[in-house]
């Protein structure tokens, strides 16, 4: 499945300009329907991500089991390049419904095991891993299908869907907190199962990627996974975004978030409820940063990346200053910048990557950034042990500044971008 918007080499709307100008995707009723189904599914997954580790701890009392279940998501992402290959080879349709059905089947089995009262760590992990694989397949399908479904506004459509995902991460835990006293953990997991069928209903309404014509869009293509990597390195802008996202994953990833929570309790002596409020504000600022980029009529990606990384770098450096008002301000500023960077990255993949290799290139980028994200929780404790929390914030801030130096060095490639060399013939 490709479209002219997805396969034409992307060099910006005008010579010497790298701005993106597209109409709002909400002008298309099909997008509104698709976004609603996607949002319901994301809210269910956010509830699931909150409920499952807590239920595991309640059943086993083991932090190890909680960590094991949480590891199912990154382990599932290891197959992202393979899923991207499937999307390029047979089209996004080959992943969307099968992924949703795998999610639903695995969640159903998990719920039945829990209802029977005989859960084991192994059975819960297998079910959680299958849910994660199904989720990865579904996400890969709709992400690579966006240009074909919404050819008039593929970049803004992708950014808006990403904003809705961030909103779901806020709404899901709130629904969990409100419904837990009435529904219990098992009831919430059954509710999550029901949300998997919202995107299936959208599909049944006819809102889905177009079918790949036999002998058409995919004819004659080279289907090697290496073609995805060639597409990444062929365009300096794509490579820049990948490097920036890797730096962001290392400096502002899970380790950084854990250090913030640690500082709120250990350094500033906040109660659990107060610390939770600060984290909620941080997530809300990340959503705001995402929206500031995704909902602009004219998007200038190099400027958005630079401003976002500047905010992240400055925030990390300010967190090293032992003054409470500045600490809170820095948390909000960093989250705002992080949301802006992540929104820019996911939108520009749709703009700059050639349509025939979008799945494979995106899958490889997810794998690389996911690996970088695993460095964050490994690096941060070592730094904290060596130089303390404030010293760690300082080191991470200097690391984030390296992305700004790199972006500045490659500015000319963004102002006068060369047309990417297609690694495969365009359909």
């Amino acid at each position: 499945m490709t479209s002219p918007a997805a396969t034409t080499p992307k060099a910006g709307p005008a010579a010497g300009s790298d701005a993106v100008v597209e109409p709002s995707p909400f002008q298309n009723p099909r997008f509104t329907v698709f976004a609603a189904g996607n949002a319901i599914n994301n809210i269910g997954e956010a509830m699931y991500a909150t409920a499952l580790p807590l239920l595991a701890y309640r059943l086993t009392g083991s932090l190890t089991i909680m960590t094991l279940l949480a590891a199912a998501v990154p382990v599932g992402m290891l197959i992202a390049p393979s899923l991207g290959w499937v999307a390029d080879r047979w089209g996004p349709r080959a992943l969307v419904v099968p992924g949703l059905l795998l999610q639903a089947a695995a969640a159903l089995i998990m719920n039945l095991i829990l209802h029977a009262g005989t859960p084991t760590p192994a059975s819960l992990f297998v079910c959680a891993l299958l849910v994660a694989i199904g989720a990865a397949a579904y996400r890969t399908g709709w992400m690579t299908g966006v240009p074909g479904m919404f050819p008039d506004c593929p970049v803004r459509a992708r950014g808006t869907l990403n904003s809705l995902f961030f909103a779901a991460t806020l709404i899901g835990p709130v629904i969990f907190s409100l419904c837990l006293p009435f529904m219990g953990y098992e009831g919430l997991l059954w509710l999550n199962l029901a949300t998997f069928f919202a995107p299936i209903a959208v599909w049944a309404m006819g809102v889905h990627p177009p079918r790949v014509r036999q002998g058409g869009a995919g004819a004659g293509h080279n289907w090697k996974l290496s073609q995805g990597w060639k597409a990444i390195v062929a365009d300096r802008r794509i490579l820049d975004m990948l490097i920036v996202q890797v730096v962001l994953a290392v400096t502002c990833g899970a380790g950084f978030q854990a250090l913030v929570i640690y500082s709120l309790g250990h350094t500033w002596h906040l109660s659990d409820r107060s610390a939770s409020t600060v984290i909620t504000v941080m997530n809300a600022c990340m959503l705001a940063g995402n929206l500031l980029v995704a909902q602009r009529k004219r998007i200038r990606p190099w400027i958005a990346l630079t401003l976002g990384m500047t905010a992240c770098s400055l925030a990390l450096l300010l967190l090293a200053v032992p003054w409470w008002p500045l600490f809170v301000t820095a948390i909000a500023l960093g989250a705002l910048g992080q949301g802006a960077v992540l929104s820019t990255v996911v939108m520009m993949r749709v703009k700059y990557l050639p349509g025939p290799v979008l799945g494979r290139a995106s899958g490889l980028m997810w794998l690389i950034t996911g690996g970088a994200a695993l460095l964050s929780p490994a690096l941060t404790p070592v730094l904290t042990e060596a130089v303390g929390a404030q010293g760690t914030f300082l080191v991470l801030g200097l690391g984030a500044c390296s992305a700004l130096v790199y972006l500045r060095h490659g500015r000319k490639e963004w102002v006068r971008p060369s047309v990417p060399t297609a690694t495969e013939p365009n359909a």
Side-chain angles (χ1 to χ4, degrees):
M1 185 282 306
T2 55
S3 68
T7 58
T8 302
K10 291 103 173 160
S17 170
D18 203 50
V20 181
V21 182
E22 291 181 353
S24 170
F26 286 109
Q27 295 178 11
N28 185 343
R30 288 169 53 85
F31 177 82
T32 303
V33 173
F34 180 82
N38 187 262
I40 292 172
N41 178 264
N42 286 336
I43 290 172
E45 289 192 3
M47 290 192 301
Y48 165 82
T50 304
L52 185 61
L54 293 175
L55 177 60
Y57 184 76
R58 180 184 176 191
L59 293 174
T60 66
S62 170
L63 179 61
T64 301
I65 301 301
M66 293 177 65
T67 305
L68 179 66
L69 293 178
V73 174
V75 169
M77 287 305 295
L78 293 176
I79 65 170
S82 299
L83 294 173
W85 180 86
V86 171
D88 287 342
R89 180 65 179 84
W90 287 289
R93 295 169 65 102
L95 292 173
V96 176
V97 173
L100 289 167
L101 293 178
L102 177 59
Q103 275 188 300
L108 175 61
I109 294 172
M110 178 186 292
N111 290 354
L112 292 176
I113 291 173
L114 291 170
H115 183 71
T118 58
T120 64
S123 64
L124 290 178
F125 176 76
V126 169
C127 290
L129 181 60
L130 291 176
V131 169
I133 292 173
Y138 165 63
R139 284 194 298 269
T140 302
W142 74 252
M143 287 178 184
T144 54
V146 162
M149 286 189 288
F150 314 108
D152 294 335
C153 53
V155 176
R156 289 191 66 184
R158 180 65 185 88
T160 301
L161 291 168
N162 194 55
S163 298
L164 291 174
F165 170 77
F166 276 102
T169 63
L170 292 174
I171 297 172
V174 172
I175 295 177
F176 168 81
S177 299
L178 294 176
C179 295
L180 182 60
F182 309 101
M183 301 181 65
Y185 286 100
E186 289 188 32
L188 286 169
L189 291 178
W190 283 107
L191 180 60
N192 169 57
L193 174 61
T195 64
F196 294 149
F197 294 95
I200 295 178
V202 170
W203 183 287
M205 295 169 65
V207 183
H208 49 65
R211 188 183 300 277
V212 176
R213 296 188 303 275
Q214 188 67 27
H221 285 171
N222 184 337
W223 299 113
K224 291 181 179 179
L225 190 61
S226 61
Q227 297 302 314
W229 179 249
K230 289 181 180 179
I232 294 172
V233 299
D235 191 329
R236 173 64 185 264
R237 299 164 299 182
I238 292 292
L239 191 59
D240 284 358
M241 289 189 297
L242 177 59
I243 291 174
V244 168
Q245 194 173 5
V246 166
V247 172
L248 186 68
V250 173
T251 57
C252 298
F256 162 74
Q257 295 172 8
L259 182 59
V260 167
I261 295 174
Y262 171 81
S263 297
L264 291 174
H266 182 77
T267 304
W268 303 110
H269 308 292
L270 266 64
S271 65
D272 290 347
R273 176 171 294 182
S274 298
S276 176
T277 301
V278 173
I279 298 302
T280 300
V281 170
M282 182 171 71
N283 291 335
C285 288
M286 190 177 296
L287 173 60
N290 195 287
L291 289 170
L292 284 173
V293 174
Q295 298 309 310
R296 289 182 60 85
K297 276 190 175 182
R298 181 181 295 271
I299 303 168
R300 301 184 185 276
W302 187 88
I303 294 176
L305 279 179
T306 302
L307 290 178
M309 285 307 300
T310 299
C312 292
S313 303
L314 181 60
L316 286 165
L317 296 175
L318 292 177
L319 287 171
V321 180
W323 186 38
W324 171 244
L326 193 59
F327 189 90
V328 176
T329 302
I331 287 177
L333 178 64
L336 197 70
Q338 190 173 357
V341 170
L342 293 176
S343 180
T344 305
V345 168
V346 298
M347 294 170 71
M348 293 307 110
R349 285 180 189 172
V350 175
K351 175 176 171 60
Y352 296 138
L353 285 172
V357 295
L358 178 60
R360 282 166 287 173
S362 297
L364 289 170
M365 294 175 78
W366 290 330
L367 182 63
I368 292 170
T369 54
L374 293 177
L375 290 177
S376 178
L379 176 65
T380 304
V382 175
L383 284 174
T384 306
E385 184 70 23
V387 298
Q390 293 177 351
T392 300
F393 285 129
L394 184 61
V395 172
L396 294 177
L398 294 175
C401 287
S402 66
L404 293 173
V405 175
Y406 182 83
L407 281 172
R408 178 61 182 172
H409 181 71
R411 171 59 171 158
K412 291 182 180 179
E413 295 293 332
W414 290 77
V415 176
R416 297 188 298 274
S418 58
V419 177
T421 301
T423 55
E424 310 181 88
N426 285 330

